[in-house]
Amino acid sequence: MSSDILEVLITEEEIREKVARLGEEIENDYRGKDLVAICILKGAAVFTMDLIRSINLPLTIDFMSVSSYGNTTKSSGVVKIVKDLDMDVSNKDLLIVEDIVDSGLTLSYIMEVMRGRGAKSVSLCTILDKPEGRKKDVHISYRGFTIPNEFVVGYGLDYAEKYRNLPYVGILKPEIYTK
Ligand code: IMP
Ligand code: MG
């Protein structure tokens, strides 16, 4: 375990089982549809690549990058598209794949933008949900784990761009981001 981690919240094994279950659910719901999985970079990259391999359907993927946090642990509430999709999403069934829903500001903004572009449907799949941090209500169709209001890293999630490669989700030692 990394010495910067206070506690492992979700193990690699728990993540693997959950991703398989979410993939099955999505597979059942999207059979016969024009599924586009939209990975929100960079945090959701690890989860997206695992998830799409557990969905046994023809699908396409695209990537989008938004900025909301900078290098701090609190949401600024300001969402900016840093890298847009390559694809035209009109009439597609979009599944937005995210690492974590905290305030909900990022996701509600992205979902609104996608609806505005004429998507046939827009759903959200997140591996982590931190409901205590919510400022804007956002509907989560596929949820991995509900976690307490702690700053976590690993499985794609970072602090100042580090820790994304940890195979588990852990609580970062507060002294790392207060020093
Ligand atoms: P929201 O707009 O507050 O829901 O923020 C969502 C984004 O904030 C996520 O995509 C993450 O990039 C980041 N974020 C929120 N909570 C955490 C955390 O505990 N660890 C790492 N990143 C987080
Ligand atoms: Mg993110």
Side-chain angles (χ1 to χ4, degrees):
M1 189 177 98
S2 162
S3 60
D4 294 351
I5 299 299
L6 185 69
E7 183 196 332
V8 174
L9 211 54
I10 308 164
T11 66
E12 198 175 349
E13 182 59 30
E14 288 171 321
I15 293 171
R16 194 176 314 121
E17 283 171 19
K18 184 72 76 177
V19 171
R21 195 143 357 110
L22 289 171
E24 257 173 57
E25 237 182 280
I26 292 165
E27 196 176 303
N28 288 326
D29 293 350
Y30 282 85
R31 200 163 281 119
K33 295 189 175 174
D34 213 347
L35 172 58
V36 182
I38 295 180
C39 170
I40 308 300
L41 295 170
K42 302 172 189 170
V46 176
F47 174 42
T48 304
M49 297 311 124
D50 284 344
L51 184 69
I52 58 170
R53 286 178 293 174
S54 73
I55 304 170
N56 187 22
L57 290 178
L59 59 79
T60 54
I61 59 171
D62 206 348
F63 300 88
M64 185 170 194
S65 179
V66 297
S67 77
S68 57
Y69 266 47
N71 283 350
T72 72
T73 59
K74 288 272 174 317
S75 185
S76 64
V78 180
V79 182
K80 196 175 97 200
I81 296 177
V82 175
K83 183 231 171 283
D84 208 338
L85 300 172
D86 295 328
M87 223 176 255
D88 172 11
V89 297
S90 53
N91 282 313
K92 305 279 189 193
D93 293 298
L94 307 187
L95 181 68
I96 301 187
V97 184
E98 185 48 312
D99 53 357
I100 187 165
V101 180
D102 182 16
S103 71
L105 295 169
T106 308
L107 265 303
S108 57
Y109 173 77
I110 293 174
M111 291 174 84
E112 224 163 273
V113 169
M114 293 304 134
R115 290 196 185 97
R117 291 181 185 180
K120 189 187 280 173
S121 66
V122 183
S123 299
L124 172 60
C125 175
T126 185
I127 188 68
L128 302 175
D129 180 15
K130 219 156 59 168
E132 285 167 59
R134 205 72 92 246
K135 290 189 184 124
K136 196 149 191 192
D137 203 33
V138 52
H139 181 72
I140 301 173
S141 300
Y142 308 94
R143 175 189 289 101
F145 304 90
T146 299
I147 63 165
N149 204 8
E150 302 274 2
F151 193 79
V152 296
V153 295
Y155 200 63
L157 289 101
D158 74 308
Y159 171 66
E161 295 299 329
K162 287 165 70 186
Y163 312 105
R164 294 192 195 275
N165 59 318
L166 299 179
Y168 51 82
V169 173
I171 299 175
L172 192 61
K173 285 181 181 168
E175 66 242 42
I176 305 292
Y177 54 83
T178 50
K179 75 182 173 204

